[in-house]
Amino acid sequence: MCELLHKFMMGLRDFVKDYFLGFWDYETPKVMVVKNKTLGVIYRSVQFLVITYFIWYVFISEKAYQESETRPESSVYTLMKGTAVHGDDILDTVEYVRPSEGGDVISTILRREVTYDQKQGTCAEHFMVANANCTRDSECVQGEVDFDGHGRRTGRCVQYYNHTFKTCEIQTWCPIERYAVVREPALVEAINFTVFIRNSIHFPGFKVLRGNIKDISNPKEMRRFLNKCHYDKETNPYCPNFRLGYIAAQAREDFSELCKTGGVIGVFINWNCNLDLDYSYCQPTYSFRRLDLRKDQDSSGYYYRFAKYYSREGVESRTLIKAYGIRLDVIVHGHAGKFSPIPTIISTVTAMTSVGICTIICDWIMLTFIDKNEVYSDRKFDEVIKEPTVPKAPELCFINSYGSNHSDLSEGVQL
């Protein structure tokens, strides 16, 4: 036992000694020319791929030589334009646009479900509400509120309007919506409504301010341009007027289906500006995509409720409106870049350093798959100590050495 412990301690001492002495050694790369065509092809191929990656992707595509800014300051103003005929009524923007003041979110009503002349009182609960059907008063708990229902129960079991069965009586706005609702036809004229979107973007780091409207100095010409133009990616990219039908088509949505259920569509304004060029080339691009999920048909789409209150014979009344429509969410993204020496130097040094991976790969291939007789490894790794040593005669006479730290190994080496 003592002998094993002694051997272990001696081995540990030798390991620590060798590690400590080796820690202060200096290593320097040795140049060795290996005339092997296979290895040379691999080396140049890897070198070509690394250089191509940095030139094409890092410098040209990603513009790593630029200082960039990705969090610009942005302002959005929206306005809906259009007039529609709905039966005998003429609807303007006050009737169908929410909110009226504009912003980065705006919606328009495409279809309405209206419940007229509701008053506070008591009436029968809808028969599809859980535990609403009854045959006697004891089945209705007074004061109970069903959050899936329409009001607070009074404890009475009453006839369901003009039907023969009964439901629990509730205190609420009567008649209830699910019984007395009137579904109006869709506002098909809305396909030609236009949305005016004004966007200003500021890159504070570069002190650059841009807008998405064509720069026209004459006010009359500007008004004439805005009243007549419609956005087109090729012919009119600086027009801020978008037809609802165009937006739905670009989002790959059927406008008639949107009239039935409504929907939320994102209007994405992307500013990708290369400020090394003239600032006039800094133009926005637009994309459109539906944002709400359509897997669950019961909750898909976009709708909301609001009421119009009035007084009739001293009794407060209201008209309840459930509105289906399109909601537009304007989302702005911005990226600007300009030449700067600091990222240029960093990217250049990184590229030059990464070229060294070619040597590492080829050394690994050479020493692992080619150097079976350890001819290359003997030449590549030398240990120099202070004590002079007698050099050994080379075993292979056709391996010639040129210089003290430069070797030339040809393909004639027998492996």
Side-chain angles (χ1 to χ4, degrees), residues 97-109:
V97 175
R98 298 288 187 279
S100 58
E101 69 273 11
D104 56 0
V105 176
I106 191 171
S107 66
T108 179
I109 298 175

Side-chain angles (χ1 to χ4, degrees), residues 298-321:
D298 293 334
S299 60
S300 64
Y302 173 73
Y303 61 88
Y304 58 94
R305 289 179 174 85
F306 64 97
K308 296 181 178 180
Y309 294 88
Y310 55 92
S311 179
R312 175 176 294 179
E313 298 178 356
V315 178
E316 183 183 25
S317 304
R318 75 175 188 183
T319 297
L320 178 64
I321 301 173

Side-chain angles (χ1 to χ4, degrees), residues 260-293:
K260 296 178 182 178
T261 62
V264 181
I265 295 180
V267 179
F268 297 90
I269 305 178
N270 301 291
W271 295 84
N272 191 2
C273 300
N274 184 2
L275 300 181
D276 291 331
L277 306 176
D278 189 85
Y279 291 172
S280 61
Y281 290 97
C282 182
Q283 300 180 5
T285 58
Y286 300 88
S287 58
F288 308 89
R289 180 169 55 88
R290 185 161 179 177
L291 300 180
D292 61 305
L293 299 176

Side-chain angles (χ1 to χ4, degrees), residues 244-255 257-258 265 287-290 294:
L244 283 183
Y246 174 82
I247 293 175
Q250 292 296 311
R252 299 181 180 180
E253 295 294 330
D254 187 355
F255 193 83
E257 290 297 324
L258 289 174
I265 295 180
S287 58
F288 308 89
R289 180 169 55 88
R290 185 161 179 177
R294 289 166 289 178

Side-chain angles (χ1 to χ4, degrees), residues 6-241:
H6 177 71
K7 289 183 179 180
F8 173 76
M9 294 301 296
M10 293 298 292
L12 180 62
R13 187 192 66 176
D14 293 340
F15 171 77
V16 173
K17 180 180 178 181
D18 293 341
Y19 178 81
F20 178 78
L21 295 177
F23 180 78
W24 304 105
D25 292 343
Y26 169 71
E27 296 179 359
T28 182
K30 179 181 179 181
V31 177
M32 185 174 65
V33 178
V34 181
K35 293 185 177 181
N36 185 298
K37 291 183 179 179
T38 302
L39 197 60
V41 170
I42 296 174
Y43 176 71
R44 296 304 177 187
S45 300
V46 176
Q47 197 175 55
F48 174 77
L49 292 175
V50 171
I51 294 174
T52 303
Y53 166 78
F54 276 95
I55 292 178
W56 176 77
Y57 180 76
V58 176
F59 286 96
I60 297 178
S61 179
E62 295 297 317
K63 295 180 175 61
Y65 57 88
Q66 291 183 336
E67 180 183 358
S68 61
E69 186 174 358
T70 57
R71 308 185 81 177
E73 301 167 352
S74 176
S75 172
V76 176
Y77 171 76
T78 55
L79 179 67
M80 188 80 68
K81 300 178 182 179
T83 303
V85 178
H86 191 71
D88 296 332
D89 300 328
I90 303 297
L91 302 180
D92 56 12
T93 56
V94 177
E95 294 290 330
Y96 58 78
V97 175
R98 298 288 187 279
S100 58
E101 69 273 11
D104 56 0
V105 176
I106 191 171
S107 66
T108 179
I109 298 175
L110 301 178
R111 186 173 66 87
R112 302 191 307 178
E113 296 181 357
V114 185
T115 306
Y116 294 98
D117 198 24
Q118 284 188 322
K119 302 180 182 65
Q120 282 285 345
T122 58
C123 52
E125 176 64 282
H126 194 268
F127 64 90
M128 294 186 67
V129 176
N131 302 321
N133 295 274
C134 62
T135 56
R136 54 185 182 272
D137 293 346
S138 60
E139 296 177 3
C140 302
V141 180
Q142 184 177 1
E144 184 181 45
V145 177
D146 190 334
F147 291 101
D148 293 327
H150 296 83
R152 182 176 59 187
R153 296 184 179 182
T154 63
R156 298 177 57 207
C157 183
V158 298
Q159 183 179 354
Y160 183 75
Y161 299 98
N162 297 325
H163 295 75
T164 56
F165 59 89
K166 295 181 178 182
T167 61
C168 293
E169 186 184 55
I170 57 173
Q171 181 182 0
T172 186
W173 288 92
C174 297
I176 59 175
E177 178 187 20
R178 296 176 69 176
Y179 170 76
V181 65
V182 177
R183 294 176 174 84
E184 297 181 349
L187 200 66
V188 293
E189 294 93 338
I191 194 172
N192 294 317
F193 289 173
T194 58
V195 184
F196 172 80
I197 303 176
R198 183 178 67 199
N199 176 224
S200 299
I201 194 167
H202 178 221
F203 295 99
F206 300 116
K207 298 180 180 179
V208 175
L209 178 64
R210 298 292 295 167
N212 68 327
I213 302 177
K214 186 177 182 180
D215 188 10
I216 301 177
S217 57
N218 192 320
K220 291 184 179 179
E221 292 184 4
M222 174 64 79
R223 285 194 295 269
R224 189 181 302 113
F225 170 74
L226 294 178
N227 288 333
K228 293 183 178 180
C229 76
H230 287 89
Y231 173 81
D232 185 88
K233 182 178 181 180
E234 301 296 335
T235 62
N236 224 343
Y238 269 109
C239 178
N241 296 322

